[in-house]
């Protein structure tokens, strides 16, 4: 099985509903198992800032899907959950990004792993570090704790709902 970390983000409508729905859809993928979720963070938008705050989190899954097949499945889930791409970095019902796939470096026209901007984004690095504090950036000795301490602006990244260990849906309540 391949170990994969996926970032989730939403800032339209019932944000937590979209995130919970995305996790349920990911769980339904063939040869894929949900392992663990970070807490949910409310974050200021980055890039295009004239939009509502996001909810962000990172999940860990194990899958036998190839990176390309996983990407295709995640894009299908985004479409199913009414994701549109009208404004670059604009509002979205759900955004699903593959951050890490094992310790592989993948560079193709439509897929770059590790995610090319993850080391610049607190809304990705903080939940990823919470989920797996001993991770290192692929093929380097640079650990994520050091990256967060030295390079990540933590301003605008606030815990919205802490993962209390009650399972993947304990985060979302009733």
């Amino acid at each position: 099985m391949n170990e994969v970390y996926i970032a989730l983000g939403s800032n339209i409508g019932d944000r937590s509903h979209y995130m919970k729905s995305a996790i349920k859809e990911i769980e339904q993928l063939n040869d894929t198992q949900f392992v663990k979720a970070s807490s949910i963070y409310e974050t200021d938008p980055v890039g295009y800032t004239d939009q509502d705050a996001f909810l962000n989190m990172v999940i860990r899954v194990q899958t036998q899907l190839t990176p390309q097949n996983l990407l295709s499945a995640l894009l299908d889930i985004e479409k199913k959950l009414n994701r549109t791409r009208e404004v670059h970095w604009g509002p979205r019902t759900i955004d699903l990004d593959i951050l890490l796939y094992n310790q592989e470096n993948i560079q193709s026209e439509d897929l770059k792993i590790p995610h090319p901007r993850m080391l610049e984004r607190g809304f990705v690095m903080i939940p990823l570090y919470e989920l797996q504090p001993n991770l290192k950036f692929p093929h380097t000795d640079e650990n994520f704790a050091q990256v967060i301490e030295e390079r990540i602006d933590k301003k605008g990244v606030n815990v919205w709902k802490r993962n209390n260990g009650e399972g993947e849906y304990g985060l979302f309540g009733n």
Side-chain angles (χ1 to χ4, degrees), residues 53-150:
F54 280 83
L55 291 184
N56 292 99
M57 69 186 303
V58 173
I59 63 171
R60 180 176 150 206
V61 300
Q62 292 181 332
T63 187
Q64 291 186 15
L65 296 175
T66 66
Q68 290 289 63
N69 288 343
L70 179 59
L71 174 63
S72 178
L74 295 178
L75 291 172
D76 287 345
I77 292 169
E78 287 182 348
K79 187 174 180 180
K80 183 175 183 177
L81 295 177
N82 303 314
R83 165 80 190 262
T84 59
R85 297 175 186 273
E86 297 168 12
V87 176
H88 187 59
W89 292 335
R92 62 206 76 170
T93 56
I94 193 70
D95 184 33
L96 303 171
D97 289 324
I98 301 171
L99 302 174
L100 299 168
Y101 187 97
N102 297 322
Q103 283 286 299
E104 294 181 29
N105 282 314
I106 300 168
Q107 300 295 317
S108 69
E109 189 173 314
D110 59 344
L111 182 61
K112 292 178 179 27
I113 299 174
H115 191 282
R117 290 173 300 282
M118 67 185 276
L119 294 178
E120 304 164 8
R121 297 182 169 167
F123 64 86
V124 169
M125 293 302 297
I126 292 170
L128 179 59
Y129 177 74
E130 174 198 331
L131 194 59
Q132 192 66 37
N134 298 322
L135 276 175
K136 292 186 177 188
F137 203 68
H139 305 293
T140 73
D141 286 331
E142 189 170 35
N143 69 42
F144 289 166
Q146 183 179 3
V147 169
I148 289 171
E149 184 63 33
E150 295 174 0

Side-chain angles (χ1 to χ4, degrees), residues 16 20 40 160-161 164 166-174:
S16 65
K20 181 178 180 179
I40 301 171
W160 185 75
K161 189 168 263 190
N164 58 10
E166 293 181 7
E168 64 269 23
Y169 299 119
L171 284 168
F172 296 99
N174 297 329

